[in-house]
Amino acid sequence: MKKLSQLGQKTVLPASPDNAKLEKVKNPHKDTDYCVRFTCPEFTSLCPITGQPDFAHLVIDYVPGDWLVESKSLKLFMGSFRNHGAFHEDCTVAIAKRLIKGIKPKWLRIGGYWFPRGGIPIDIFYQTGAAPKDVWIPAQDVAGYRGR
């Protein structure tokens, strides 16, 4: 396994998701199925048409296989969307696909709870299949936008 290049180092926010480096670490309990959750309540990206900021509350759950995503690299990856223009659906599914490619989890789910654009909240959900049996997967309850 390569040495982690970002953890414990001064790092600059990547200019784009394509430039972001997702790093992984060995799962110390790969013989046990368990759920890992990352919550990003202040996710931002840009509308690809207007350039205006879009905001979301993202919740990522996964059951690791051999690898865990290194959390600092995930934070930098998520932050790299700040100046990236893409629709809500693209951002949400692209994050899932990048994680799947990078760490090959046994199962992954992402909920993208996007704040209203034009008065309509858009929520995006993606998962790789049925959750593994005998693993507690908490609900992704996120408070609804007050305007709903």
Side-chain angles (χ1 to χ4, degrees):
M1 185 174 93
K2 292 182 179 179
K3 181 181 176 190
L4 298 173
S5 64
Q6 300 172 109
L7 185 61
Q9 304 296 319
K10 184 176 180 179
T11 52
V12 177
L13 192 64
S16 74
D18 290 339
N19 294 339
K21 182 177 182 181
L22 269 179
E23 296 186 313
K24 60 187 178 182
V25 296
K26 287 191 179 206
N27 178 1
H29 298 283
K30 67 180 185 177
D31 59 334
T32 303
D33 285 344
Y34 60 96
C35 183
V36 176
R37 171 169 286 177
F38 287 101
T39 304
C40 187
E42 297 177 344
F43 182 85
T44 59
S45 65
L46 298 176
C47 172
I49 305 300
T50 66
Q52 294 297 308
D54 287 320
F55 302 92
H57 183 136
L58 300 182
V59 181
I60 301 166
D61 294 318
Y62 75 97
V63 174
D66 292 335
W67 301 102
L68 302 172
V69 65
E70 192 284 310
S71 62
K72 181 176 181 182
S73 73
L74 180 64
K75 291 173 196 172
L76 291 167
F77 172 60
M78 301 297 257
S80 72
F81 282 85
R82 183 174 294 157
N83 295 313
H84 176 71
F87 290 115
H88 302 151
E89 297 86 349
D90 185 19
C91 289
T92 306
V93 175
I95 290 167
K97 287 182 174 183
R98 183 80 180 270
L99 284 166
I100 292 163
K101 182 179 178 183
I103 63 168
K104 297 177 179 46
K106 293 181 180 179
W107 176 82
L108 182 136
R109 165 179 76 181
I110 185 170
Y113 302 83
W114 291 82
F115 290 91
R117 178 194 290 169
I120 300 173
I122 302 172
D123 297 333
I124 314 301
F125 306 99
Y126 175 84
Q127 73 180 35
T128 58
K133 294 180 180 183
D134 299 325
V135 176
W136 179 55
I137 309 292
Q140 283 197 1
D141 296 338
V142 172
Y145 176 69
R146 289 180 294 161
R148 289 185 180 177

